[in-house]
Amino acid sequence: MILIIVIILILFLVFLKEGIPCIMYHGVGLESNLSTEEFEKQIKQIKNMNTYKFEEIQELNYLIPRKSILLTFDDGYRNNYTNAYPILKKYNKKATIFLNTAYVGIDDDYLTWDQILEMYNSGLVDFQLHSHSHFSVISRIEIDGFFSVESFNKKELYREIKNIYRKEPRIGYPIFKRRGELAVYGYKLTDKFIEICDQLIDKKIVLTEEIVKENLLNEVVAYSSEEYENRIFREVSKNKDIIDKKIARETLNFANPWGHKSPELVDNLKKIGIKSMITTKKGTNSRKLSPYKVKRYEANNIIKFRVLLLINKSFVLGKIYETLS
């Protein structure tokens, strides 16, 4: 009897303080790791829970009502409109898409502005900041591979290397360890680095780690703090200006690209006027969100979704999950 009472008391304490789960999605459909059918199962699972867009949360001063869950999508893939949006409408659930504006209406994998405005005007979908380009920067002077024929078919990698080399990538270009460009100062390649690479490739010399180390590492130089701050301002401000003008309202919530963040990033976001930063750190949130530490998690099947939902609806269990993760 004493054991039963202790168990009941523990369970009572665990579930006494409510947690606010925040789910992170990217794509929905055949080309992603979450099928449309699985997505509908998840949304059906939360049909009796409240959902809020981040523009509403902002108006609530980041205090979330009870029995709520937050749904978020990163990047702005077109299948958010074709596959996810009809299901959100069917169950009358709200979500926020953190949008990379550089590819809207340009890349077939991304949303168009007509689709964005239709979703926004429905009252169900909000659009917030995720940087304009979602680029990475060299984070360590360490070779991670070399650009190959297959690399041209990897859109994200192709865009990143083109940005880092400031020109069309060539087969054989060294690929260094990278991190989200808003999270670290990082390193840049000098014009001389690129020139030497081109000369060696033109001579049919296959670049190796040894060749790079012996001839090129002096031409990989650190970005200054001023360059880093300018990069943040440029990427976030352009992202914000475009969305604000298209949707005709102010955008003040930011999800950090790649899930990478730093104290310097938070400080610079505050200078720009951004009110919250949504992370990829696993765990739950208190009803009063910590604006620059909003936690999220992913679940690509209904069993995992149900288990993590049960855990993260409890603030105590969610904190344990955060620690173990």
Side-chain angles (χ1 to χ4, degrees):
M1 180 60 73
I2 292 173
L3 180 60
I4 292 172
I5 292 172
V6 169
I7 291 172
I8 291 172
L9 285 173
I10 290 172
L11 289 173
F12 176 75
L13 289 172
V14 164
F15 287 99
L16 180 63
K17 187 172 182 182
E18 188 176 343
I20 303 295
C22 184
I23 315 297
M24 177 174 63
Y25 298 107
H26 289 82
V28 175
L30 294 174
E31 61 274 34
S32 72
N33 67 349
L34 178 68
S35 70
T36 306
E37 293 74 23
E38 281 290 336
F39 179 71
E40 180 163 10
K41 289 177 186 177
Q42 294 184 13
I43 300 304
K44 189 175 182 179
Q45 181 72 36
I46 60 166
K47 64 182 180 181
N48 295 321
M49 297 182 72
N50 302 311
T51 53
Y52 293 90
K53 301 175 292 184
F54 265 81
E55 65 178 353
E56 294 175 318
I57 294 169
Q58 183 183 315
E59 293 167 359
L60 291 168
N61 196 27
Y62 300 94
L63 179 61
I64 313 299
R66 294 186 181 279
K67 295 183 180 178
S68 298
I69 186 168
L70 306 178
L71 306 175
T72 67
F73 295 79
D74 282 3
D75 305 327
Y77 294 115
R78 188 165 298 196
N79 57 39
N80 293 173
Y81 174 81
T82 56
N83 298 336
Y85 178 51
I87 295 168
L88 293 175
K89 284 197 294 183
K90 179 177 178 179
Y91 294 93
N92 195 34
K93 294 302 172 189
K94 298 177 180 178
T96 299
I97 296 176
F98 293 93
L99 187 64
N100 296 127
T101 39
Y103 316 112
V104 174
I106 296 171
D107 188 319
D108 289 342
D109 291 336
Y110 284 77
L111 294 164
T112 67
W113 284 111
D114 285 344
Q115 292 167 339
I116 288 168
L117 289 171
E118 180 186 335
M119 286 192 283
Y120 182 71
N121 290 332
S122 74
L124 292 177
V125 184
D126 182 22
F127 292 87
Q128 298 285 340
L129 308 169
H130 197 44
S131 84
H132 180 61
S133 307
H134 204 290
F135 283 143
S136 64
V137 70
I138 295 170
S139 59
R140 297 205 305 273
I141 307 177
E142 181 181 334
I143 300 293
D144 198 33
F146 292 87
F147 202 79
S148 65
V149 174
E150 292 76 19
S151 302
F152 284 100
N153 296 321
K154 299 175 181 177
K155 282 187 178 180
E156 191 171 284
L157 176 62
Y158 169 81
R159 284 196 292 251
E160 290 168 25
I161 302 306
K162 185 176 182 180
N163 179 58
I164 288 170
Y165 278 83
R166 305 181 295 281
K167 61 180 293 189
E168 189 73 17
R170 296 185 66 180
I171 295 170
Y173 274 173
I175 299 173
F176 291 89
K177 295 287 186 182
R178 304 178 313 285
R179 195 170 175 82
E181 68 169 355
L182 303 189
V184 293
Y185 288 13
Y187 298 87
K188 59 183 173 182
L189 307 177
T190 65
D191 291 341
K192 187 175 180 181
F193 180 100
I194 300 168
E195 182 184 337
I196 293 172
C197 278
D198 286 338
Q199 289 172 353
L200 293 171
I201 291 170
D202 288 341
K203 292 177 181 177
K204 310 298 182 185
I205 296 173
V206 177
L207 293 174
T208 63
E209 286 191 46
E210 289 70 28
I211 290 174
V212 173
K213 287 177 182 177
E214 290 174 9
N215 300 279
L216 295 167
L217 290 192
N218 288 337
E219 300 300 327
V220 184
V221 298
Y223 280 104
S224 67
S225 59
E226 183 180 0
E227 288 175 311
Y228 171 64
E229 289 179 7
N230 288 339
R231 186 195 308 150
I232 293 174
F233 183 81
R234 181 177 64 251
E235 275 291 307
V236 177
S237 295
K238 189 169 186 178
N239 193 208
K240 177 173 165 51
D241 288 346
I242 292 171
I243 297 175
D244 287 0
K245 287 175 183 175
K246 290 288 187 179
I247 295 180
R249 67 100 166 86
E250 190 172 26
T251 312
L252 295 170
N253 302 279
F254 176 85
N256 46 310
W258 297 67
H260 301 157
K261 61 184 177 63
S262 67
E264 293 84 4
L265 172 58
V266 176
D267 290 342
N268 281 282
L269 289 175
K270 289 178 179 178
K271 289 178 186 176
I272 296 170
I274 303 305
K275 300 300 183 184
S276 76
M277 184 178 75
I278 293 78
T279 72
T280 57
K281 185 172 179 60
K282 295 176 182 177
T284 196
N285 304 281
S286 63
R287 287 186 53 228
K288 177 67 174 177
L289 293 185
S290 180
Y292 296 95
K293 296 179 182 178
V294 179
K295 301 177 186 69
R296 300 187 288 174
Y297 61 87
E298 290 183 281
N300 58 8
N301 64 69
I302 190 60
I303 295 174
K304 184 178 180 182
F305 184 87
R306 286 170 177 161
V307 171
L308 291 179
L309 180 62
L310 178 64
I311 290 171
N312 288 290
K313 282 168 67 175
S314 160
F315 184 74
V316 175
L317 290 179
K319 293 301 286 184
I320 294 170
Y321 168 65
E322 176 187 337
T323 302
L324 295 176
S325 297

